[in-house]
Amino acid sequence: QAQLVESGGGLVLAGGSLRLSCAASGRTFGGNAMAWFRQAPGKERKFVAGISWSGSSTSYADSVKGRFTISRDNAKNMLYLQMNSLKPEDTAVYYCAAGVVLTKDHDYHYWGQGTQVTVSS
């Protein structure tokens, strides 16, 4: 069964760091681009960062450039998001997604259940 499971969320002070992880089954990971999206309360889900299957291409939302880094370990079927210099506006539920093409749109076939990130000021 295709599955994506996020972990690593939590409560952190502004300026702090968190590392999110996404464990993927082979069906959802192999050959797919991967991405992180986030959704704040009352707002639409938005693209945060994405990475191609090989890892050679990455893409970031302007709001996180220079602070967040996406990476993947294909041998372990794992996706990561290193988040530094966190701000209160980064507070959201973060979702892992897998799809055929690296895109900032929501065109991903598989989605995780999300992990909450809360940044306090």
Side-chain angles (χ1 to χ4, degrees), residues 9-57:
L11 175 63
V12 64
L13 291 174
S17 298
L18 280 176
R19 188 194 194 204
L20 303 184
S21 298
C22 174
S25 66
R27 178 180 174 182
T28 60
F29 198 82
N32 281 328
M34 302 289 293
W36 290 97
F37 285 74
R38 67 187 181 187
Q39 188 168 19
K43 297 187 177 181
E44 65 179 8
R45 191 174 299 187
K46 293 185 177 180
F47 175 83
V48 174
I51 187 167
S52 61
W53 159 245
S54 68
S56 61
S57 295

Side-chain angles (χ1 to χ4, degrees), residues 70-115:
I70 189 171
S71 62
R72 64 190 297 165
D73 185 337
N74 289 347
K76 297 181 179 179
N77 284 3
M78 293 293 295
L79 177 72
Y80 305 102
L81 185 67
Q82 179 65 44
M83 305 186 295
N84 298 329
S85 302
L86 282 162
K87 304 175 181 180
E89 50 263 45
D90 294 318
T91 295
V93 177
Y94 284 71
Y95 297 90
C96 170
V100 176
V101 178
L102 174 57
T103 175
K104 294 185 178 181
D105 297 329
H106 294 173
D107 294 333
Y108 289 85
H109 297 100
Y110 304 105
W111 293 84
Q113 293 301 307
T115 185

